[in-house]
């Protein structure tokens, strides 16, 4: 590429093109991230100017905080169920909607709908459904499982989060799988049909292996969203009943901003980062290994 | 064989249709109940409204300061998305056309930063910007969205710009066009489809975001739609009618846009995932 003449000209162009982006990126993401690591070694209360260094004491508190670990375990369970079920449903929908079906655009548009709406609103809508609509149905039609609100039951409240999450994201992942499926070349499908492969064999032996990139993207996105979920948790269950649905993101928020235990809260956020980073990198590493070329 | 296939596709259609109805029922229930009286909602949430309670809407509209919240959300979303698009495209273009080791490493660093969860940043973010007295301002929030959104934008633009031949750009530069003019007159127009994709992904995220604005915008007058819905719910929990109406009011703008731009939105999400 031909460049500008002279050091100052080059610097000016560089700053013009990359300056604003990099300045925002550094001051919003990187500096707070690094400063956050420093905060984990202090006992800052959120108000005072001083933040005395306390060494690894906060990390000790993280490991002793049984609520953190129970909310982390709950989050892992939540992530496991939502990632698997969302992706299975999304793939099936995409598979059904790439074969010629009447009105497939209407179907795609409809299944995608929940993604337009933020977690706050979705949580309130489903709170109404679980508390009023399903209870009404349960009592009128004597369906035992719905006769009392799921949101008031510590065992069932967790599943409301799983159900709403699947409902919200299946359409989004479906769109990504549709993109992947349409990318599978038709000629090799035909060649396989001529060789006598049935549709099940084609799906398992050809389509799915060739769609590994889509699976990587979808698993990455659903893992990330699963670990980060906050809005839905806040408005659907508020972490209740009796703290039975407090996912880790909500726990970190509570620890820092409500208990004013910023050092420990930040240490928990950092531990969360490390665990999520390891899980995500492992996922990407192993799925990359499975990728095949057409 | 032929009949069997037809039966199969009919069955598939029916299954999909049932699923679709199940998928959309929550929205339908919301609409129905937003038009009913409170007593009717609690006695039978499935019944059709007998009289239309538009007062629910005017109530919610007033009490959640809808106009302010809507304006705030529009301003924040529009400026953030425009900034992310322009700045992201310029940076990605610079990185692709000047592949020095520094630029390549900066690019990789930005991509890698995408695994940092927001929770790991929110506490120091509030502390730093609080001590600079920069909280409670839309400008700060827009700047933050640029910071959080730039990595993905640069990543997607980078992939696309690599595939554009650079001869045209070089010809323009030889003819004495400045780099900035060349970018906006030649490169940026070519990037329109990618910009639409990035815009859609960012609008979906920023319009509905709750946690970041809830930490930054403390004053009621600054609230965005998700924030004002949330606070309306917190202060108003007995009367279901206005509550349902407030939810309808919050999702209505997006649904209206979706009805017109549905094809582009779905395509945008598709494109965004492929790159």
């Amino acid at each position: 590429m031909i460049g500008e003449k002279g050091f100052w000209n080059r610097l000016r162009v560089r700053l013009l093109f990359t300056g604003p982006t990099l300045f925002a990126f550094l001051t919003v993401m990187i500096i707070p991230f690094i400063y956050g690591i420093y905060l984990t070694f202090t006992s800052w209360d959120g108000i005072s100017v001083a933040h005395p260094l306390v060494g690894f004491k906060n990390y000790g508190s993280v490991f002793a905080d049984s609520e953190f670990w129970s909310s982390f375990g709950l989050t892992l369970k939540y992530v496991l169920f939502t990632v698997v079920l969302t992706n299975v449903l999304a793939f099936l929908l995409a598979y059904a909607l790439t074969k010629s079906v009447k009105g497939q655009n209407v179907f795609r548009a409809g299944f995608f709908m929940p993604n337009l709406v933020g977690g706050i609103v979705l949580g309130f809508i489903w709170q109404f459904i679980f508390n009023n609509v399903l209870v009404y149905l349960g009592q009128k039609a004597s369906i035992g499982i719905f006769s009392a609100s799921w949101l008031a039951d510590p065992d069932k409240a967790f599943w409301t989060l799983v159900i709403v999450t699947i409902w919200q994201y299946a359409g989004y992942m479906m769109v990504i799988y549709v993109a992947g499926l349409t990318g599978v070349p038709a000629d090799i499908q035909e060649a396989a049909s001529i060789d006598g492969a049935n549709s099940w064999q084609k799906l398992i032996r050809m389509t799915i292996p060739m769609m590994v990139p889509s699976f990587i993207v979808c698993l990455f996105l659903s893992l990330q969203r699963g670990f980060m979920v906050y809005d839905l948790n806040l408005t659907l269950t508020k972490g209740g009943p009796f703290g039975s649905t407090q996912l880790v993101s909500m726990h970190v928020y509570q620890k820092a901003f409500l208990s004013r235990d910023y050092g420990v809260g930040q240490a928990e956020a950092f531990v969360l980062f490390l665990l999520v980073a390891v899980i995500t990198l492992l996922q990407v590493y192993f799925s990359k290994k499975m990728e095949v070329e057409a | 064989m032929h009949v069997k296939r037809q039966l199969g596709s009919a069955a598939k259609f029916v299954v999909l249709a049932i699923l679709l109805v199940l998928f959309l029922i929550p929205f339908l229930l919301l609409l129905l109940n937003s038009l009913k009286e409170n007593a009717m909602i609690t006695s039978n949430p499935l019944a059709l409204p007998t009289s239309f309670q538009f007062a629910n809407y005017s109530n919610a509209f007033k009490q959640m300061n809808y106009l302010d919240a809507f304006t705030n959300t529009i301003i924040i979303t529009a400026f953030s998305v425009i900034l992310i698009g322009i700045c992201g495209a310029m940076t990605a273009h610079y990185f692709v056309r000047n592949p020095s080791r520094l630029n390549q490493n900066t690019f990789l660093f930005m991509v890698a930063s995408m695994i940092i969860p927001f929770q790991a940043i929110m506490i120091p973010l509030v502390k730093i910007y609080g001590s600079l007295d920069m909280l409670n301002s839309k400008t700060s929030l827009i700047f933050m969205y640029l910071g959080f959104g730039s990595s993905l934008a640069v990543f997607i633009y980078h992939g696309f710009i690599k595939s554009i031949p650079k001869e045209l750009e070089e010809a323009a530069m030889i003819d004495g066009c400045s780099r900035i003019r060349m970018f906006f007159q030649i490169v940026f127009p070519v990037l329109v489809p990618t910009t639409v994709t990035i815009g859609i992904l960012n609008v979906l995220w920023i319009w509905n975001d709750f946690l970041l604005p809830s930490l930054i915008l403390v004053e009621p007058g600054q609230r965005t739609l998700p924030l004002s819905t949330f606070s309306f719910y917190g202060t108003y929990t007995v009367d279901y009618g206005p509550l349902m109406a407030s939810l309808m009011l919050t999702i209505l703008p997006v649904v209206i846009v979706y009805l017109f731009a549905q094809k582009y939105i779905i395509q945008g999400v598709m494109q965004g995932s492929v790159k």
Side-chain angles (χ1 to χ4, degrees), chain A residues 6-283:
Chain A
F7 175 76
W8 292 111
N9 256 332
R10 277 205 299 275
L11 184 69
R12 198 177 57 86
V13 169
R14 171 183 282 273
L15 284 181
L16 198 67
F17 275 75
T18 67
T21 315
L22 291 181
F23 181 69
F25 173 68
L26 283 177
T27 51
V28 174
M29 294 251 329
I30 302 307
I31 293 173
F33 182 70
I34 294 167
Y35 187 66
I37 299 176
Y38 162 75
L39 279 183
T40 65
F41 298 107
T42 70
S43 64
W44 183 51
D45 59 6
I47 312 162
S48 65
V49 188
H51 17 85
L53 279 168
V54 292
F56 283 92
K57 192 166 149 276
N58 290 331
Y59 288 96
S61 309
V62 174
F63 285 100
D65 182 359
S66 61
E67 259 186 49
F68 173 72
W69 293 105
S70 72
S71 72
F72 192 77
L74 195 71
T75 309
L76 283 180
K77 188 174 149 197
Y78 166 81
V79 167
L80 182 74
F81 280 105
T82 54
V83 167
V84 172
L85 295 174
T86 307
N87 283 286
V88 168
L89 177 63
F91 184 79
L92 291 177
L93 288 175
Y95 190 67
L97 290 175
T98 37
K99 300 279 154 72
S100 55
V101 177
K102 254 183 219 149
Q104 55 176 331
N105 287 331
V106 177
F107 280 121
R108 286 182 196 174
F111 288 124
F112 187 81
M113 265 284 277
N115 289 287
L116 304 173
V117 184
I120 287 290
V121 173
L122 290 183
F124 284 135
I125 298 178
W126 279 90
Q127 194 191 59
F128 176 71
I129 292 177
F130 281 114
N131 277 342
N132 299 59
V133 179
L134 288 179
V135 173
Y136 172 82
L137 263 180
Q139 288 171 352
K140 280 281 157 186
S142 10
I143 308 169
I145 195 165
F146 292 136
S147 59
S149 172
W150 282 29
L151 294 172
D153 183 331
D155 295 323
K156 290 188 191 130
F158 171 79
W159 296 103
T160 64
L161 282 173
V162 175
I163 291 168
V164 180
T165 308
I166 296 167
W167 175 78
Q168 184 182 5
Y169 290 134
Y172 196 92
M173 303 304 159
M174 170 199 75
V175 166
I176 299 177
Y177 285 126
V178 167
L181 278 166
T182 38
V184 176
D187 50 344
I188 66 164
Q189 300 262 26
E190 271 168 42
S193 305
I194 291 165
D195 290 345
N198 62 30
S199 42
W200 176 252
Q201 284 168 327
K202 277 191 284 180
L203 175 68
I204 298 294
R205 301 265 173 82
M206 292 172 47
T207 311
I208 291 184
M210 290 196 63
M211 283 188 56
V212 169
S214 307
F215 281 107
I216 297 177
V217 173
C218 285
L219 290 178
F220 179 81
L221 285 176
S222 44
L223 270 174
Q224 286 273 315
R225 290 173 179 206
F227 277 108
M228 254 35 91
V229 65
Y230 175 77
D231 308 9
L232 182 68
N233 197 190
L234 180 68
T235 56
L236 185 63
T237 67
K238 287 201 190 74
F242 318 115
S244 60
T245 61
Q246 197 183 64
L247 297 177
V248 69
S249 171
M250 188 175 218
H251 180 81
V252 170
Y253 182 92
Q254 304 258 347
K255 198 77 187 177
F257 295 108
L258 301 180
S259 320
R260 298 212 162 278
D261 219 341
Y262 287 81
V264 179
Q266 184 58 30
E268 291 182 347
F270 190 63
V271 171
L272 172 70
F273 158 70
L274 289 177
L275 293 167
V276 175
V278 169
I279 292 171
T280 320
L281 291 177
L282 282 177
Q283 180 253 322

Side-chain angles (χ1 to χ4, degrees), chain B residues 50-206:
Chain B
T50 46
S51 62
F52 294 103
Q53 298 293 312
F54 292 108
N56 287 341
Y57 279 86
S58 54
N59 241 337
F61 190 89
K62 261 179 260 153
Q63 301 214 25
M64 64 187 283
N65 283 328
Y66 187 79
L67 222 52
D68 285 345
F70 182 80
T71 318
N72 288 336
T73 317
I74 285 268
I75 292 174
I76 290 164
T77 309
F79 279 100
S80 306
V81 170
I82 291 169
L83 271 180
I84 292 173
I86 294 176
C87 294
M90 289 178 84
T91 306
H93 183 258
Y94 190 84
F95 283 170
V96 173
R97 297 302 183 221
N98 301 66
S100 67
R101 179 167 291 177
L102 173 71
N103 290 341
Q104 279 176 335
N105 286 337
T106 315
F107 174 66
L108 288 178
F109 188 66
M110 287 185 86
V111 175
S113 78
M114 282 196 268
I115 60 168
I116 300 177
F118 178 68
Q119 281 75 12
I121 292 175
M122 65 180 182
I123 298 166
L125 192 73
V126 171
K127 179 164 163 45
I128 293 171
Y129 286 83
S131 68
L132 297 170
D133 208 12
M134 283 168 70
L135 294 184
N136 214 20
S137 111
K138 289 200 256 297
T139 317
S140 302
L141 188 60
I142 291 165
F143 178 71
M144 286 176 192
Y145 280 127
L146 173 63
F148 287 119
S150 57
S151 303
L152 182 69
V154 170
F155 177 64
I156 296 179
Y157 276 124
H158 195 277
F160 187 75
I161 293 170
K162 265 196 305 194
S163 66
I164 304 176
K166 61 183 175 190
E167 281 70 28
L168 200 62
E169 297 172 30
E170 281 172 336
M173 295 277 281
I174 289 166
D175 288 345
C177 190
S178 77
R179 179 99 167 221
I180 189 96
R181 229 186 102 191
M182 185 272 288
F183 177 80
F184 280 103
Q185 289 197 336
I186 295 172
V187 182
F188 204 64
V190 181
L191 295 178
V192 166
T194 315
T195 306
V196 171
T197 297
I198 291 167
I200 287 164
L201 293 177
N202 283 312
V203 169
L204 285 177
W205 157 54
I206 295 170

